[in-house]
Amino acid sequence: MAVLVTGGTGFIGSHTCVELLEKGYDVVIIDNLYNSRQQVVDAIEKIAGRRPVFVKGDLLDEALLDEVFTKYDIDSVIHFAGLKAVGESVRLPENYYRNNIVTTLNLIDAMHRHNCTKIVFSSSATVYDAGEVSPLKETCRLGCTNPYGRTKLFIEEILRDVCVAHPEFTAILLRYFNPIGAHPAGLIGENPNGIPNNLLPYVTNVALGRLPQLNVFGNDYDTPDGTGVRDYIHVVDLARGHLNALDYAQTATGAQAFNLGTGNGTSVLEIVRAYEEENGVKIPVNIAPRRPGDNATTFADATRANEILGWHAEYDIRDMVRDSWNFAKITLANEEA
Ligand code: NAD
Ligand code: UFG
């Protein structure tokens, strides 16, 4: 029996593979390495002390999926693979619909062909309607404003329909808030190509001296210091949430959504201050205009995940910024070696 982890060499997938292997699960990764590197498999093995099976391939390849399900005794799937850049999705919507939705349909079809009925899916807090007020509960209104978000919402709906048509099928929809940090070992973490879009990878690049300053997108929001507030969650906490979800999926029925967040909001300037104080580095900031599409405040009500999955976040902001910087230093040292 093995868990198939799609996108398992990516940021969240790699941390989840470590947790799975440490708990004794056998793990099969399928990833096309579009946004990750094969060396991550070695890093996972180094941390967990066991090696996952790695299959380099694309979820658009249905024959490959059949091979994987036939060769390995897959009894559940954690589905991370996908494209995730909001701005890019506006420019290249077809790529996002094909790579996120068609791939998921292929995966569901393969699961049906091989009698696999449990899936945990990477959804996002972005599925909540922008008009909803935090703390966001799973019962809040849904609605998206960009193609990336719509792929998440559509996949949630597809999985709901699949669960109705196939009552033996269970889908756990995990709505992540803002995952940051890295494994404390410093061997896996977030490593985006090019200039980062997200706050923490950008801050890290400033700390490394690769970028001159952080542009803070707006300081006139209706928040305590005027900068945007988000629910940052340590990626190891998030990864652990997938094990709780997988456990729950064994007995649960239907499609069920859970927020994975801490329930706390932190502003951009609070993140910068914590990063500087915890790591002894300087992050120069420049107050820039608001970024289109951003809202003032987003944070989770994570009560449902706590009550039903028995999960709660354990790491705080200091842990998150420390582990981000630790990974950056070790990665930089490796890149320069
Ligand atoms: P990531 O880009 O680091 O990992 C995704 C992995 O999927 C990559 O390794 C990539 O190579 C692989 N992949 C993409 N398309 C593929 C395909 N067609 N076939 C095989 N492999 C493919 O991203 P992440 O941050 O680890 O995110 C994982 C999931 O969580 C994504 O679905 C993302 O949308 C979702 N999510 C992420 C965040 C976040 O802020 N990181 C927030 C909410 C939801
Ligand atoms: N920010 C800056 N400067 C930067 C980058 C970000 O000030 O260079 C600010 C943003 O304005 C926002 C906060 O930092 O207030 C967080 O921004 P991120 O881009 O890191 O994250 P978002 O909350 O915008 O989006 C993230 C994921 C999305 C996902 C969403 C779900 O990137 O994929 O969370 O809530 F959909």
Side-chain angles (χ1 to χ4, degrees), residues 6-13 30-37 57-60 79-84 99-100 103 121-125 148 152 174 176-179 190 198:
T6 76
T9 45
F11 174 43
I12 307 168
I30 178 163
D31 199 301
N32 63 4
L33 301 180
Y34 173 79
N35 198 34
S36 55
R37 299 153 197 220
D58 200 297
L59 297 185
L60 290 170
H79 179 32
F80 294 103
L83 303 176
K84 60 169 185 174
N99 195 77
N100 290 5
T103 51
F121 170 62
S122 298
S123 189
S124 167
Y148 165 70
K152 294 295 174 192
L174 298 181
Y176 310 154
F177 281 67
N178 287 58
E190 193 170 14
N198 296 120

Side-chain angles (χ1 to χ4, degrees), residues 168-239:
E168 72 284 7
F169 210 87
T170 306
I172 308 297
L173 317 170
L174 298 181
R175 296 177 180 159
Y176 310 154
F177 281 67
N178 287 58
I180 62 169
H183 193 279
L187 300 176
I188 52 175
E190 193 170 14
N191 197 3
N193 295 327
I195 297 183
N197 295 307
N198 296 120
L199 180 62
L200 257 288
Y202 203 104
V203 167
T204 297
N205 271 280
V206 174
L208 289 168
R210 292 176 177 170
L211 292 168
Q213 62 191 9
L214 171 72
N215 293 308
V216 175
F217 297 143
N219 67 349
D220 57 353
Y221 284 107
D222 184 15
T223 61
D225 65 18
T227 65
V229 167
R230 295 290 182 274
D231 187 340
Y232 297 95
I233 172 169
H234 197 296
V235 64
V236 171
D237 274 332
L238 189 65

